[in-house]
Amino acid sequence: MGNAEEERALHEQRLGPVVRRRHQMRPGTTDQRLLDTQGATHWVHEDPFRVLRIQSEFVEGFGTLAELGPAISVFGSARTPEGSPEYEAGVRIGRALAEAGFGVITGGGPGAMEAANRGASEAGGVSVGLGIELPYEQGLNPYVDIGVNFRYFFVRKTMFVKYAQGFVVLPGGLGTLDECFEALTLVQTKKVTRFPIVLFGSSYWQGLVDWVTNTLIAQGKASAQDLELFHLTDDIDEVIDLVTKESGGV
């Protein structure tokens, strides 16, 4: 390099497509500034950055589940003990859904969710778990073959509905009720169509059905035809028949 070139290099800086000379030159490189800077961190807790996190969760969920194929979301209590009749029913339902050609989607946790994933996995079907960040860690149960963990409940709920042809609702608590009534609302308002919702376990759900009938409908808060939005059964074969017929089959 000649003296003239050396002199120019001392007074010229190339930053990607940008050229800076003389007093407009900056110390270091772009990578160096990115990796060395220890600036303010408040921005990671502000809404614009949260929007990006929300967007990334939708992208991950859509990308993972887009090619899933026909599937049914199965809900139920994380507190259902292994070996109980409810757990065994979950295993049988998961197995029957897999044998009918459906993937099984659950919240990915223990209890009834694990039971349905177990039945699907042991039958050679597709077993999906959509987990959620909680103050107490549950983790994905060992029978999940495809798992996605979410920060936001509303993103996770979208995946439950978007990639399922119907819901099977096993005995469960507040989370199960939340998913069940959200699905009922979506069908009632025609946000989704051809979406069967099956409540499994008449001894558990009958009290709720009676309340809907004798309070909600009796007081005009819902219509009698809303009782047609769901089915109540204790028969696993009927569960499969209902989700297959109303979802348009596999």
Side-chain angles (χ1 to χ4, degrees):
M1 180 182 293
N3 291 336
E5 291 176 337
E6 291 176 356
E7 182 69 18
R8 185 168 62 249
L10 292 174
H11 299 283
E12 181 176 284
Q13 183 182 46
R14 296 180 182 272
L15 303 171
V18 178
V19 175
R20 289 182 175 272
R21 291 173 174 160
R22 292 174 287 277
H23 63 279
Q24 293 298 325
M25 293 172 63
R26 294 178 176 176
T29 66
T30 303
D31 275 345
Q32 184 181 26
R33 286 192 295 276
L34 171 66
L35 298 174
D36 287 351
T37 299
Q38 298 294 322
T41 60
H42 63 86
W43 55 274
V44 301
H45 304 294
E46 295 177 352
D47 284 346
F49 190 70
R50 288 193 182 104
V51 170
L52 295 177
R53 279 181 171 170
I54 292 166
Q55 177 180 305
S56 72
E57 290 208 349
F58 276 113
V59 170
E60 287 295 338
F62 291 164
T64 302
L65 302 176
E67 298 176 336
L68 180 62
I72 300 295
S73 289
V74 180
F75 300 101
S77 176
R79 304 180 188 187
T80 300
E82 184 176 359
S84 67
E86 289 177 6
Y87 186 97
E88 294 305 318
V91 173
R92 290 162 55 207
I93 287 171
R95 181 182 301 118
L97 288 170
E99 291 172 348
F102 290 101
V104 171
I105 304 173
T106 78
M113 294 175 281
E114 176 185 292
N117 284 134
R118 180 175 183 170
S121 181
E122 290 179 348
V126 180
S127 176
V128 179
L130 305 182
I132 186 69
E133 178 184 286
L134 295 172
Y136 45 91
E137 288 295 326
Q138 288 185 328
L140 295 175
N141 69 66
Y143 301 100
V144 168
D145 298 320
I146 301 173
V148 185
N149 280 303
F150 295 91
R151 285 188 177 93
Y152 301 100
F153 265 115
F154 58 88
V155 179
R156 181 186 188 229
K157 287 179 178 180
T158 299
M159 303 304 156
F160 279 134
V161 177
K162 179 171 176 58
Y163 293 105
Q165 278 69 54
F167 281 1
V168 176
V169 189
L170 303 175
L174 296 179
T176 301
L177 289 171
D178 177 41
E179 297 291 354
C180 180
F181 275 97
E182 177 146 357
L184 289 169
T185 301
L186 291 172
V187 177
Q188 182 200 50
T189 57
K190 301 190 185 305
K191 292 293 186 179
V192 294
T193 56
R194 297 174 64 87
F195 199 87
I197 300 168
V198 182
L199 307 182
F200 183 84
S202 58
S203 63
Y204 189 85
W205 295 113
Q206 190 61 58
L208 177 64
V209 175
D210 291 342
W211 178 76
V212 169
T213 303
N214 300 324
T215 301
L216 285 188
I217 294 173
Q219 295 185 18
K221 304 299 190 298
S223 64
Q225 67 185 23
D226 290 334
L227 292 173
E228 300 174 6
L229 299 177
F230 62 89
H231 306 274
L232 180 62
T233 184
D234 296 304
D235 186 331
I236 292 175
D237 289 336
E238 186 178 11
V239 170
I240 306 306
D241 288 342
L242 287 168
V243 297
T244 301
K245 180 177 66 176
E246 293 198 21
S247 66
V250 176

